Amino acid sequence: MNKKKYSTVMPIVIITIMSFFIGAYTGKLLKVKDISPFILFPVVIVSIFISLFIQVIIHEIGHAILGIIAGYEFKEIKILNFKIFKKDGKLKFEKNNELKGSAYGGQTVLNITKDNFEKTKMIKLLVGGGLFNVIFSIITFVIAMFVENQYIKIFCSINVIIGIYLFIMNLMIFKSKYLINDGYWIYSLIKDTNGVSLLEIDVVSDDLEPKDFDKNYLYNDKIDGVSEYCNVAMDYYRYLNNLDLGDIDSAKKSIENVISFDKKYDITPLVGNMFTFTHDIFYYYLIIEKDLEKAKTYYNVNKNMIKSSDAITKARALVSYELLIENDKEAAMSIYESEMKRIEDRKEQGMIRFEKKTIESLLNLY
């Protein structure tokens, strides 16, 4: 059975309409007929990539500035394989070819803790990215109106469209099965949905092992959010919590919705830096259900995602595969060592400790 892939018609329609009007207006300003198509085409392509990169930077700076204004301390900004971070009171720059910002190219990290997590502060932080995209788009739109150079006009016009696109994709609230964006978090914070609990776990549990997750986050009477993924992600955190506590029966119950969700939808957009459902579903089939054939089939179907993911949970999945399916403990040990080295400096130290503990237990058992 083919899994459903994420598609949202509304943002595409809105972006197309806005792009048409922006393009029609700026087209009057541009004398593209005076530019050879052989020159115009590469200029447009280069402008798209440069504009996208700039707007992602602007977006993350917006989050950082509004977050700082709200009272949070800046830690780092990651854009693709570049990182700007604060160390010893100074801003430093680092390039790392193994670094990934996020599934969408950028990530802002602030010092958000259980003690300083406040709804109004978080809303300011989340609004900042899209707000700065719009402000920068307005600035470049004004530049396009007044400059004479046609290439600058083309670049600015494309930048306006991309900036508005990022604004829409980040701040509109989509009633989709699994789209989580800034607008969704803002909606959750205002309406007090269970998305707030998911957001709190995501931002304040970096140094917590799953067994130490606050039960007030995991089990609450908040109303459901607009995204089915939110409810499934909460079940996933409950699964990790129960697994770490050794409550296997509760862990089985918690992961049922996760497995059902995975069967229906292509979860590629949900690949995260901390976990993917795919790793734990494979682990569940293999280690908890002890169904070797089911685990092997699932692994073969999802091999690309399991092996290519940047998530911390990849270590447990790959070691389990080598240990129980390939029966190669030496390979399992080698993967364990290389994976732990890969993730040793990640901020999710609680999850890393959980992975180490679980994997070492497996290696000792088998």
Side-chain angles (χ1 to χ4, degrees):
M1 183 179 71
N2 292 328
K3 295 182 181 181
K4 297 177 183 178
K5 293 189 175 182
Y6 163 69
S7 63
T8 302
V9 176
M10 188 56 67
I12 296 174
V13 171
I14 293 174
I15 291 165
T16 301
I17 292 173
M18 295 187 73
S19 297
F20 172 79
F21 283 109
I22 293 171
Y25 182 80
T26 54
K28 292 181 179 180
L29 304 175
L30 304 176
K31 299 176 181 178
V32 294
K33 63 182 180 180
D34 296 335
I35 303 175
S36 167
F38 296 104
I39 298 176
L40 181 61
F41 181 74
V43 167
V44 169
I45 296 300
V46 170
S47 295
I48 289 173
F49 281 103
I50 294 176
S51 294
L52 184 58
F53 184 68
I54 291 174
Q55 284 284 9
V56 169
I57 293 174
I58 293 296
H59 183 89
E60 298 306 328
I61 289 174
H63 281 312
I65 290 176
L66 267 291
I68 292 168
I69 290 172
Y72 294 124
E73 182 184 356
F74 173 78
K75 294 179 73 174
E76 65 181 31
I77 290 178
K78 290 184 277 188
I79 308 291
L80 300 178
N81 60 338
F82 300 96
K83 181 168 75 170
I84 299 173
F85 59 101
K86 189 176 181 181
K87 187 174 182 180
D88 300 327
K90 297 180 180 179
L91 289 179
K92 299 190 176 183
F93 176 83
E94 178 181 273
K95 183 177 184 294
N96 185 339
N97 291 329
E98 296 181 358
L99 182 67
K100 294 182 181 179
S102 72
Y104 303 98
Q107 184 181 39
T108 298
V109 180
L110 303 174
N111 186 29
I112 304 172
T113 67
K114 184 177 179 179
D115 294 330
N116 66 16
F117 184 99
E118 295 178 18
K119 290 183 180 180
T120 53
K121 289 183 177 181
M122 291 301 299
I123 290 172
K124 289 178 184 177
L125 159 65
L126 292 163
V127 166
L131 178 63
F132 269 54
N133 286 135
V134 168
I135 292 172
F136 191 68
S137 293
I138 292 172
I139 292 171
T140 52
F141 183 75
V142 172
I143 292 172
M145 291 176 61
F146 292 101
V147 297
E148 295 295 328
N149 187 290
Q150 295 301 303
Y151 298 106
I152 295 178
K153 284 182 181 288
I154 292 170
F155 171 76
C156 290
S157 301
I158 290 172
N159 186 82
V160 170
I161 295 172
I162 290 176
I164 292 175
Y165 167 82
L166 289 177
F167 169 77
I168 293 172
M169 290 302 295
N170 277 280
L171 291 181
M172 279 191 68
I173 303 166
F174 303 110
K175 291 189 176 181
S176 74
K177 291 296 181 184
Y178 53 66
L179 180 62
I180 298 288
N181 61 0
D182 294 339
Y184 174 79
W185 292 128
I186 293 169
Y187 169 87
S188 295
L189 288 161
I190 293 172
K191 294 291 186 179
D192 198 30
T193 73
N194 60 8
V196 178
S197 294
L198 178 60
L199 181 59
E200 287 181 292
I201 293 175
D202 280 346
V203 300
V204 307
S205 62
D206 287 348
D207 199 42
L208 296 178
E209 295 178 36
K211 63 182 175 63
D212 298 320
F213 288 163
D214 193 325
K215 291 292 192 294
N216 291 326
Y217 295 155
L218 295 177
Y219 303 97
N220 60 70
D221 56 359
K222 296 181 187 297
I223 61 173
D224 289 347
V226 296
S227 171
E228 183 179 335
Y229 165 72
C230 174
N231 303 324
V232 172
M234 289 299 296
D235 276 331
Y236 177 78
Y237 276 122
R238 294 181 192 112
Y239 160 77
L240 289 177
N241 175 256
N242 291 320
L243 189 64
D244 200 11
L245 290 171
D247 188 349
I248 302 304
D249 289 337
S250 296
K252 288 180 178 180
K253 186 177 180 181
S254 298
I255 205 170
E256 285 177 359
N257 283 342
V258 180
I259 292 174
S260 176
F261 186 80
D262 177 68
K263 287 179 178 178
K264 289 189 294 183
Y265 300 106
D266 174 8
I267 61 170
T268 303
L270 303 178
V271 174
N273 289 332
M274 189 163 80
F275 65 80
T276 70
F277 296 152
T278 314
H279 293 149
D280 265 286
I281 293 172
F282 166 71
Y283 179 85
Y284 172 78
Y285 287 150
L286 184 61
I287 304 298
I288 298 178
E289 281 199 347
K290 301 185 186 302
D291 191 327
L292 189 66
E293 289 305 313
K294 186 188 286 188
K296 190 185 296 185
T297 300
Y298 185 82
Y299 182 91
N300 289 334
V301 171
N302 297 278
K303 184 189 299 184
N304 288 338
M305 181 180 289
I306 290 173
K307 297 182 74 172
S308 64
S309 168
D310 188 45
I312 289 171
T313 48
K314 180 168 74 170
R316 184 157 36 99
L318 295 182
V319 169
S320 302
Y321 177 84
E322 293 296 336
L323 201 58
L324 278 81
I325 294 181
E326 295 294 337
N327 296 311
D328 190 339
K329 188 168 184 178
E330 186 177 340
M333 289 289 294
S334 177
I335 288 172
Y336 170 60
E337 290 171 2
S338 63
E339 282 296 306
M340 288 301 109
K341 184 176 177 61
R342 177 180 69 84
I343 63 176
E344 64 183 356
D345 293 328
R346 297 273 282 272
K347 65 186 182 69
E348 303 91 348
Q349 290 298 311
M351 194 68 184
I352 292 172
R353 290 196 300 273
F354 167 70
E355 291 295 310
K356 284 183 177 180
K357 177 175 61 179
T358 308
I359 294 171
E360 287 173 1
S361 177
L362 277 176
L363 291 170
N364 290 331
L365 186 61
Y366 295 96

mmCIF file of all heavy atoms in Angstrom, residues 76 92 98 186 192 230 241 261 263 315:
data_model
loop_
_atom_site.group_PDB
_atom_site.id
_atom_site.type_symbol
_atom_site.label_atom_id
_atom_site.label_comp_id
_atom_site.label_asym_id
_atom_site.label_seq_id
_atom_site.Cartn_x
_atom_site.Cartn_y
_atom_site.Cartn_z
ATOM 1 N N GLU A 76 22.851 29.582 19.630
ATOM 2 C CA GLU A 76 23.432 29.360 18.299
ATOM 3 C C GLU A 76 22.390 29.461 17.199
ATOM 4 O O GLU A 76 21.181 29.315 17.434
ATOM 5 C CB GLU A 76 24.118 27.986 18.231
ATOM 6 C CG GLU A 76 23.169 26.812 18.385
ATOM 7 C CD GLU A 76 23.896 25.472 18.334
ATOM 8 O OE1 GLU A 76 25.065 25.413 18.761
ATOM 9 O OE2 GLU A 76 23.281 24.490 17.872
ATOM 10 N N LYS A 92 31.006 33.268 17.684
ATOM 11 C CA LYS A 92 31.998 32.552 16.889
ATOM 12 C C LYS A 92 31.328 31.877 15.711
ATOM 13 O O LYS A 92 30.133 31.585 15.741
ATOM 14 C CB LYS A 92 32.745 31.540 17.748
ATOM 15 C CG LYS A 92 33.515 32.184 18.900
ATOM 16 C CD LYS A 92 34.437 31.204 19.596
ATOM 17 C CE LYS A 92 35.250 31.898 20.676
ATOM 18 N NZ LYS A 92 36.204 30.992 21.333
ATOM 19 N N GLU A 98 29.458 18.043 8.251
ATOM 20 C CA GLU A 98 28.538 17.033 8.758
ATOM 21 C C GLU A 98 27.346 17.649 9.475
ATOM 22 O O GLU A 98 26.418 16.953 9.876
ATOM 23 C CB GLU A 98 29.270 16.101 9.731
ATOM 24 C CG GLU A 98 30.386 15.293 9.064
ATOM 25 C CD GLU A 98 31.066 14.359 10.044
ATOM 26 O OE1 GLU A 98 30.695 14.373 11.228
ATOM 27 O OE2 GLU A 98 31.967 13.627 9.606
ATOM 28 N N ILE A 186 2.192 28.732 17.461
ATOM 29 C CA ILE A 186 1.539 29.938 17.969
ATOM 30 C C ILE A 186 0.070 29.652 18.268
ATOM 31 O O ILE A 186 -0.462 30.030 19.323
ATOM 32 C CB ILE A 186 1.674 31.097 16.955
ATOM 33 C CG1 ILE A 186 3.146 31.517 16.846
ATOM 34 C CG2 ILE A 186 0.810 32.281 17.361
ATOM 35 C CD1 ILE A 186 3.430 32.455 15.691
ATOM 36 N N ASP A 192 -4.050 26.811 23.870
ATOM 37 C CA ASP A 192 -3.670 25.870 24.936
ATOM 38 C C ASP A 192 -4.014 24.427 24.555
ATOM 39 O O ASP A 192 -4.643 23.697 25.306
ATOM 40 C CB ASP A 192 -4.349 26.236 26.256
ATOM 41 C CG ASP A 192 -3.645 25.581 27.453
ATOM 42 O OD1 ASP A 192 -2.421 25.358 27.361
ATOM 43 O OD2 ASP A 192 -4.311 25.282 28.442
ATOM 44 N N CYS A 230 0.823 15.861 16.062
ATOM 45 C CA CYS A 230 1.046 16.302 17.436
ATOM 46 C C CYS A 230 0.650 15.199 18.416
ATOM 47 O O CYS A 230 1.390 14.871 19.343
ATOM 48 C CB CYS A 230 0.246 17.568 17.714
ATOM 49 S SG CYS A 230 0.317 18.108 19.428
ATOM 50 N N ASN A 241 9.275 7.099 27.300
ATOM 51 C CA ASN A 241 9.219 7.171 28.759
ATOM 52 C C ASN A 241 8.958 5.791 29.362
ATOM 53 O O ASN A 241 9.657 5.357 30.288
ATOM 54 C CB ASN A 241 8.116 8.157 29.167
ATOM 55 C CG ASN A 241 7.896 8.216 30.674
ATOM 56 O OD1 ASN A 241 6.926 7.658 31.180
ATOM 57 N ND2 ASN A 241 8.781 8.895 31.386
ATOM 58 N N PHE A 261 0.101 5.487 12.287
ATOM 59 C CA PHE A 261 0.391 6.722 11.552
ATOM 60 C C PHE A 261 1.446 6.469 10.476
ATOM 61 O O PHE A 261 1.331 6.924 9.345
ATOM 62 C CB PHE A 261 0.878 7.780 12.543
ATOM 63 C CG PHE A 261 1.095 9.151 11.959
ATOM 64 C CD1 PHE A 261 0.030 10.003 11.754
ATOM 65 C CD2 PHE A 261 2.371 9.590 11.634
ATOM 66 C CE1 PHE A 261 0.226 11.278 11.232
ATOM 67 C CE2 PHE A 261 2.581 10.849 11.113
ATOM 68 C CZ PHE A 261 1.505 11.696 10.918
ATOM 69 N N LYS A 263 2.091 3.734 8.951
ATOM 70 C CA LYS A 263 1.550 2.904 7.865
ATOM 71 C C LYS A 263 0.768 3.736 6.856
ATOM 72 O O LYS A 263 0.708 3.410 5.674
ATOM 73 C CB LYS A 263 0.647 1.805 8.436
ATOM 74 C CG LYS A 263 1.396 0.681 9.131
ATOM 75 C CD LYS A 263 0.434 -0.355 9.689
ATOM 76 C CE LYS A 263 1.196 -1.504 10.331
ATOM 77 N NZ LYS A 263 0.274 -2.500 10.927
ATOM 78 N N ALA A 315 21.512 5.227 15.914
ATOM 79 C CA ALA A 315 22.502 4.329 16.515
ATOM 80 C C ALA A 315 21.843 3.035 16.975
ATOM 81 O O ALA A 315 22.324 1.930 16.689
ATOM 82 C CB ALA A 315 23.191 5.023 17.689
#
